[in-house]
Amino acid sequence: MTDNFWRKISHISTKMFVDICSRHAFLLLCTFCRGAHMNVREVGSSGYARDIGSKLIALDALAELCGNASEVLTTSKVFGYQVRRLVVPCVLFNITYVFGDARIFSKVLRIITVLWNKWRTHIKIEFAILCEQLFIRVLEASSTKVKPEFKKIALQEVQNWFDRSHILL
């Protein structure tokens, strides 16, 4: 079943992209999103550490791919659409894990920052949803649900976005 899935994804990539680099970038994007979109077992269960580790690696790889994408990819409407349809739902899915693990909070925050810096022309409305789901929820949450340093880190990150005025244009 998994082979069939990847065969279909590979076939789709040949239909969407002419050049091999864009195809490979799309396949990597699918791979990282799939890895980051996995559920995590309960704390203390036998697979918890592996689940968290896999999720952290996938989120980090996703941030790297999106953050280091070439200008060819960041200006491509097709690839921008793929980021919008794959990365944004993946980040939204992982927001549920943000409140329980500082490492996931850090990775998700990094991905949102990368989306702001490099992909916001493609994800305007989705970016507002991401901000509402992460920043507003973190800032409104009680100190029993969210660590106080999360609020500070979130506010500092947003402030950093607006300190770079050339990005706002």
Side-chain angles (χ1 to χ4, degrees):
M1 183 156 149
T2 303
D3 284 343
N4 192 31
F5 171 78
W6 289 113
R7 208 173 297 118
K8 287 179 181 178
I9 293 295
S10 182
H11 178 71
I12 290 168
S13 74
T14 61
K15 300 290 183 191
M16 286 192 307
F17 302 104
V18 177
D19 67 300
I20 194 78
C21 292
S22 296
R23 277 190 236 154
H24 288 168
F26 172 70
L27 292 172
L28 285 171
L29 187 72
C30 291
T31 302
F32 300 150
C33 285
R34 189 170 192 209
H37 209 274
M38 297 291 193
N39 286 318
V40 175
R41 287 171 255 208
E42 293 295 318
V43 176
S45 68
S46 63
Y48 176 75
R50 184 180 61 230
D51 292 350
I52 288 290
S54 297
K55 183 174 285 296
L56 291 171
I57 289 170
L59 289 170
D60 199 37
L62 190 57
E64 285 296 319
L65 177 68
C66 291
N68 293 311
S70 68
E71 188 175 339
V72 171
L73 291 177
T74 58
T75 57
S76 165
K77 288 185 178 190
V78 173
F79 203 84
Y81 180 78
Q82 299 311 315
V83 168
R84 198 168 105 208
R85 299 301 293 164
L86 295 172
V87 177
V88 172
C90 179
V91 171
L92 288 171
F93 174 81
N94 281 289
I95 286 175
T96 58
Y97 297 105
V98 159
F99 297 106
D101 193 304
R103 297 167 299 176
I104 294 176
F105 175 77
S106 171
K107 303 291 184 196
V108 167
L109 190 61
R110 182 169 167 230
I111 292 171
I112 292 174
T113 297
V114 165
L115 293 175
W116 168 258
N117 289 335
K118 287 201 109 168
W119 297 95
R120 74 175 169 277
T121 57
H122 300 286
I123 57 166
K124 294 173 182 160
I125 291 174
E126 292 84 355
F127 193 79
I129 295 167
L130 287 171
C131 287
E132 176 192 7
Q133 289 299 307
L134 181 68
F135 295 109
I136 303 301
R137 283 177 65 187
V138 166
L139 294 174
E140 288 180 342
S142 67
S143 59
T144 58
K145 185 168 177 154
V146 174
K147 296 176 184 173
E149 58 265 17
F150 282 18
K151 293 180 181 193
K152 182 180 175 188
I153 292 168
L155 285 173
Q156 284 174 338
E157 192 65 29
V158 173
Q159 184 179 359
N160 288 339
W161 296 349
F162 293 107
D163 281 346
R164 292 179 251 146
S165 58
H166 67 282
I167 290 177
L168 296 175
L169 301 175

